[in-house]
Amino acid sequence: MTPLLSVQGLTKRYGRHVGCLDVSFDLFPGEVMGIVGESGSGKSTLLNCMAGHMVPDAGRVMFDTRTEGPVDTVAMAEPARRMLGRTDWAFVHQHARDGLRMGVSAGGNVGERLMAVGARNYGAIRTAAGDWLERVEISVDRIDDRPGTFSGGMQQRLQIARNLVTGPRLVFMDEPTGGLDVSVQARLLDLLRGLVRKMGLSAVIVTHDLAVVRLLADRLMVMKDGRVVEAGLTDQVLDDPQHGYTQLLVSSVLQV
Amino acid sequence: MSDYNFAYLDEQTKRMIRRAILKGLAVPGYQVPFASREMPMPYGWGTGGVQVTAAIMVPEDRLKVIDQGADDTTNAVSIRKFFQRTAGVAVTERTAEATVIQTRHRIPEVPLTGGQILVYQVPIPEPLRFLEPSEIETRRMHALEDYGLMHVKLYEDIARHGAIATSYAYPVKVEGRYVMDPSPIPKFDNPKMEMDAIQLFGAGREQRIYALPPHTRVVSLDFEDFPFEASKADHACALCGAADSYLDEVITDDAGGRMFVCSDTDFCAGRRTGEVAA
Amino acid sequence: MGKAIIAIEGLSKTFTLHNQGGVVIEVMRGAALTVGPGECVGLVGASGTGKSTLMRMVWGNYLAAAGRIVVGDLDVAQAAPCEIIALRRRTLGYVSQFLRVVPRVATVDVVAEPLLTLGVDEAEARGRAMALLSRLNLPEALWSLSPTTFSGGEQQRVNIARGFVHPCPALLLDEPTASLDARNREVVLGLIEEAKARGAAILGIFHDEGARARVCDRLVDVADFAPAAA
């Protein structure tokens, strides 16, 4: 099977400081990969390099495109990468405000990606937007309201709808449940699990919350000081950690 | 007269502006940055248009200046006088007689011809500005033809008002490539932009020049189910009776009396004297 | 009896505690057993001898230090994560003593999820989940609630339903009848017998001696796999 995403030797330095160093992994269709590590471990740098928001110093990010097969997205021309960014890729920010247009209605937010790829029928765009609001459990009668009038959890769900409306195959998520109340987190996790299953999505989720990766991710990578120290099946890494740092991380979680 | 260089600006500045204009003509709809000069008038009073006019003007030119279609408003009178004094060129109020027409917010009703140049005063040249505040990002969006956002604006209009409520500065796509702000002309004028004359756009404060060569394809953005409509007030001109010209609403008394008259004063006067065919 | 569905040989397990001076604890050495189709093998041995550790290694939850754990055609000890995920979806079921679910998800959806993952139509998956919950005497009023607040016995039955909803060729059962009353214990033993009848290979831990005697065809004493004994 061809991996959907194949990261090879990805390295990013900030001067003498290491962002991420020689990271390699394959992600297969339908798989959810979690990346954990403490602040400054390089997980966000890695995510941004993969998603094309940052230019890595070395390495390749091969994506299995629909038309041409695996293509190195680092070397890809900017227009093609942007097109990928609004069709086959999605990026869910930790803060919904970074991923939404706060001055535009919920419907406009969801419809933007459709219009960006050429949708020019208002009625069809609006129907699709309404349909997606329902799928993320936002009432359709809020379609003309601006995101600023939504709660934090609703904003995050709106951001997800806005990202998934073009039927992407790969979703990058940066702390998708961070900053949300625990009760709201649970609903979002359930929603994401359902969407991943129904749409056959592959996802890369960066988080520092081990409970989130246990419930969402099939596989797990543990990062420290820009390096991957351990990787494997999520429950195996959490229940039988091999690396000292992972053992420390797992044993540091507060029990409820 | 001898106190000023011809048309106020020094020759080096004019050359710099002409280079920007030529680049603009070569890449229709693309906003060319230029080193806008301080002019003896405040920003917002047409400093961009005046610099473009000054750069292209030759002594043989005949200048017409209009503001909202009228030759007799303060802004139009000031700029016309400015060039009379600094360039000594002939001036006219007749559209057909002018070689250079500087305009604020209108395109004349009478179709322009091959030898003419229309210079627009532009307050905000960036059509994406109110949706995307970052200049770096909007320039990248133009470069990559990433224009989904433009339709988001129209979508919002329909969602809120049931129709595309944008009635002026209605965005257009030029030659299938750049999305352009046509300056705050009424959308009634948009279809006229495919014309025989050269159109130049100058934004002084924003330091941008862009241009449309003659016969450039200019398409107003819209949706299949909400097509573009060049609308105007549903009346005929109270003075000349024209049913197909853009109208201004004029309040005539304190009792709610009002009338609709042609915004293009030369067109209206011409019809009344019989010079423009009814 | 046909070819073994679960075949373990030379299996060892060590834990290295990096944060406690790098102590290496060897807990198992040279474990070997097979489970054939329609067979139920019970693991016995005093607590702490490694019954659960062995089960977890078969599930892929613990890494093996050495040896082979073949389930179906896959050596779990060497398999890539995506292969283990596929194995867990289709071939290998696991009823653990603990229920780990997304909070606030309805019980019926928790039970139906393994079927939905396999692409079974939603209505059918929920139907099969409800039939099983009903057979396990879980009150219908609870089906639409999240199991996180249920009693131990109720959670155990949700766990069992989730493990049995898809007919896996191989099953791991960790104390499936613990904390159940006589009536529900009977239902679970029935489910195990049915699974055996359809040819499933079952590896289980049963502290309940009556249950062990009834469903297990063979017993394996994990004390034989203790490092000292090897």
Side-chain angles (χ1 to χ4, degrees):
Chain A
M1 187 165 46
T2 312
L4 184 66
L5 185 75
S6 179
V7 175
Q8 301 164 5
L10 208 62
T11 299
K12 174 75 183 174
R13 289 189 173 84
Y14 303 104
R16 293 180 60 191
H17 175 72
V18 169
C20 61
L21 192 72
D22 197 22
V23 176
S24 301
F25 70 90
D26 287 343
L27 185 74
F28 292 93
E31 269 188 334
V32 178
M33 160 83 93
I35 302 176
V36 296
E38 59 201 16
S39 306
S41 61
K43 55 192 197 303
S44 292
T45 298
L46 175 62
L47 191 74
N48 282 315
C49 285
M50 282 191 277
H53 296 171
M54 218 179 245
V55 184
D57 297 322
R60 303 201 295 172
V61 178
M62 307 294 294
F63 179 73
D64 187 16
T65 60
R66 289 178 208 247
T67 48
E68 293 161 58
V71 174
D72 182 7
T73 61
V74 173
M76 200 179 231
E78 179 82 17
R81 188 163 50 232
R82 278 216 169 194
M83 183 51 96
L84 207 55
R86 59 197 180 208
T87 53
D88 266 355
W89 285 9
F91 196 102
V92 176
H93 294 262
Q94 173 178 5
H95 302 291
R97 292 182 161 268
D98 298 336
L100 291 173
R101 292 196 188 278
M102 299 306 285
V104 169
S105 69
N109 264 291
V110 178
E112 181 176 347
R113 272 169 78 108
L114 293 173
M115 292 183 249
V117 296
R120 291 293 178 263
N121 187 297
Y122 174 82
I125 292 164
R126 199 166 168 80
T127 305
D131 177 44
W132 265 98
L133 288 180
E134 280 192 334
R135 287 169 78 166
V136 298
E137 300 162 25
I138 295 174
S139 165
V140 177
D141 58 23
R142 301 296 301 271
I143 192 167
D144 293 329
D145 294 346
R146 294 193 179 181
T149 67
F150 290 6
S151 69
M154 279 171 82
Q155 288 183 6
Q156 198 58 294
R157 295 202 301 277
L158 179 63
Q159 192 193 178
I160 287 164
R162 168 180 159 87
N163 269 284
L164 298 189
V165 66
T166 47
R169 293 188 292 153
L170 176 61
V171 186
F172 299 103
M173 298 192 212
D174 188 4
E175 301 274 7
T177 59
L180 296 178
D181 289 344
V182 178
S183 59
V184 177
Q185 277 189 19
R187 186 172 177 192
L188 192 68
L189 285 175
D190 180 41
L191 178 76
L192 285 172
R193 267 169 79 115
L195 290 171
V196 163
R197 188 181 63 225
K198 285 176 201 153
M199 298 175 74
L201 290 176
S202 302
V204 179
I205 300 177
V206 158
T207 179
H208 63 264
D209 189 334
L210 298 183
V212 167
V213 287
R214 188 185 280 278
L215 293 173
L216 270 185
D218 303 307
R219 291 163 56 198
L220 188 60
M221 270 187 356
V222 182
M223 291 190 73
K224 180 172 168 42
D225 301 333
R227 293 168 174 82
V228 175
V229 296
E230 184 164 359
L233 209 56
T234 300
D235 59 294
Q236 180 262 303
V237 173
L238 294 178
D239 293 339
D240 186 15
Q242 304 296 306
H243 191 276
Y245 176 70
T246 317
Q247 292 181 355
L248 188 66
L249 202 65
V250 170
S251 62
S252 305
V253 175
L254 300 175
Q255 299 288 326
V256 271
Chain B
M1 175 61 217
S2 57
D3 295 340
Y4 293 102
N5 188 37
F6 176 73
Y8 187 77
L9 292 175
D10 64 273
E11 294 304 314
Q12 288 304 317
T13 297
K14 288 190 204 169
R15 287 180 65 179
M16 175 270 293
I17 294 173
R18 286 176 199 142
R19 279 197 295 270
I21 291 170
L22 288 172
K23 185 168 178 181
L25 285 166
V27 191
Y30 171 71
Q31 298 168 49
V32 185
F34 79 109
S36 179
R37 299 296 194 240
E38 291 288 337
M39 298 303 284
M41 62 183 72
Y43 289 129
W45 287 69
T47 54
V50 165
Q51 289 179 79
V52 169
T53 301
I56 60 166
M57 192 176 272
V58 292
E60 297 75 32
D61 269 324
R62 187 181 295 273
L63 178 69
K64 171 182 164 80
V65 184
I66 50 174
D67 174 6
Q68 303 268 20
D71 294 87
D72 54 2
T73 51
T74 313
N75 194 223
V77 171
S78 309
I79 292 172
R80 193 162 57 228
K81 285 227 166 114
F82 173 79
F83 281 116
Q84 275 181 293
R85 176 139 174 221
T86 61
V89 292
V91 294
T92 179
E93 297 192 1
R94 305 253 173 104
T95 301
E97 288 174 8
T99 55
V100 175
I101 302 170
Q102 180 167 333
T103 178
R104 173 174 176 268
H105 299 193
R106 272 312 309 275
I107 296 175
E109 301 291 354
V110 175
L112 300 185
T113 56
Q116 295 180 301
I117 299 177
L118 184 60
V119 178
Y120 295 79
Q121 300 170 201
V122 181
I124 296 167
E126 179 49 72
L128 300 162
R129 176 58 66 240
F130 290 108
L131 298 153
E132 175 53 64
S134 158
E135 173 72 15
I136 291 172
E137 183 58 21
T138 53
R139 301 203 80 184
R140 192 176 291 145
M141 289 162 88
H142 282 296
L144 302 175
E145 239 182 308
D146 192 353
Y147 288 135
L149 200 51
M150 212 60 246
H151 273 87
V152 172
K153 183 176 189 289
L154 302 179
Y155 169 95
E156 291 288 284
D157 255 10
I158 302 172
R160 202 165 307 142
H161 307 289
I164 298 177
T166 301
S167 55
Y168 63 93
Y170 192 104
V172 294
K173 194 160 200 183
V174 176
E175 277 300 320
R177 177 59 181 85
Y178 285 97
V179 166
M180 187 188 93
D181 182 320
S183 88
I185 59 171
K187 66 178 173 183
F188 174 82
D189 283 344
N190 271 22
K192 295 184 200 161
M193 298 183 87
E194 294 190 345
M195 63 164 71
D196 297 345
I198 291 174
Q199 296 168 82
L200 305 176
F201 299 78
R205 181 184 47 213
E206 304 280 329
Q207 314 201 340
R208 292 289 183 277
I209 284 171
Y210 51 102
L212 296 173
H215 313 294
T216 301
R217 197 151 43 91
V218 179
V219 178
S220 303
L221 301 180
D222 61 1
F223 287 105
E224 293 158 7
D225 42 351
F226 285 87
F228 171 80
E229 262 179 86
S231 61
K232 63 181 274 288
D234 192 17
H235 291 272
C237 173
L239 299 178
C240 74
D244 55 355
S245 70
Y246 191 73
L247 302 173
D248 285 339
E249 184 178 1
V250 182
I251 307 295
T252 52
D253 55 34
D254 289 342
R258 58 192 186 142
M259 63 192 287
F260 288 91
V261 297
C262 287
S263 129
D264 184 339
T265 50
D266 175 56
F267 173 78
C268 194
R271 277 174 53 87
R272 278 180 283 151
T273 57
E275 284 175 40
V276 176
Chain C
M1 192 183 296
K3 181 177 170 289
I5 292 179
I6 301 174
I8 298 172
E9 55 184 70
L11 186 62
S12 304
K13 177 64 192 166
T14 54
F15 291 104
T16 307
L17 306 180
H18 293 282
N19 300 301
Q20 291 170 44
V23 178
V24 178
I25 302 170
E26 188 177 19
V27 295
M28 189 176 290
R29 191 188 299 168
L33 64 82
T34 59
V35 188
E39 192 181 23
C40 178
V41 174
L43 296 176
V44 292
S47 135
T49 48
K51 299 187 295 291
S52 287
T53 299
L54 182 58
M55 294 272 272
R56 281 169 171 253
M57 282 195 281
V58 177
W59 180 239
N61 182 236
Y62 278 6
L63 281 184
R68 286 160 52 82
I69 310 163
V70 179
V71 181
D73 303 321
L74 185 72
D75 181 0
V76 174
Q78 301 290 328
C82 61
E83 293 172 315
I84 296 179
I85 291 164
L87 181 83
R88 289 176 178 183
R89 277 184 189 159
R90 303 190 174 278
T91 313
L92 185 63
Y94 183 35
V95 176
S96 76
Q97 290 174 272
F98 309 100
L99 182 67
R100 213 162 224 157
V101 294
V102 178
R104 309 216 304 177
V105 175
T107 295
V108 62
D109 294 323
V110 167
V111 174
E113 197 186 8
L115 292 175
L116 295 173
T117 308
L118 286 170
V120 174
D121 160 79
E122 202 161 321
E124 192 199 328
R126 289 171 68 99
R128 279 161 67 179
M130 288 191 274
L132 206 47
L133 287 170
S134 151
R135 189 169 163 196
L136 285 157
N137 301 305
L138 198 78
E140 198 170 336
L142 298 181
W143 295 358
S144 58
L145 304 178
S146 163
T148 43
T149 55
F150 289 4
S151 72
E154 285 161 350
Q155 289 199 353
Q156 177 71 344
R157 279 177 277 159
V158 173
N159 232 352
I160 288 165
R162 194 175 150 92
F164 278 87
V165 73
H166 165 63
C168 291
L171 260 176
L172 304 172
L173 305 176
D174 192 352
E175 302 257 28
T177 56
S179 64
L180 293 186
D181 59 23
R183 182 166 70 134
N184 288 313
R185 175 177 173 271
E186 192 54 38
V187 174
V188 173
L189 293 177
L191 283 170
I192 296 171
E193 282 164 347
E194 284 168 29
K196 285 173 70 178
R198 66 168 165 79
I202 299 173
L203 184 62
I205 300 171
F206 303 88
H207 281 156
D208 168 357
E209 285 184 24
R212 195 195 297 164
R214 180 164 150 195
V215 296
C216 291
D217 301 294
R218 279 188 294 129
L219 298 179
V220 171
D221 189 346
V222 291
D224 298 342
F225 309 145

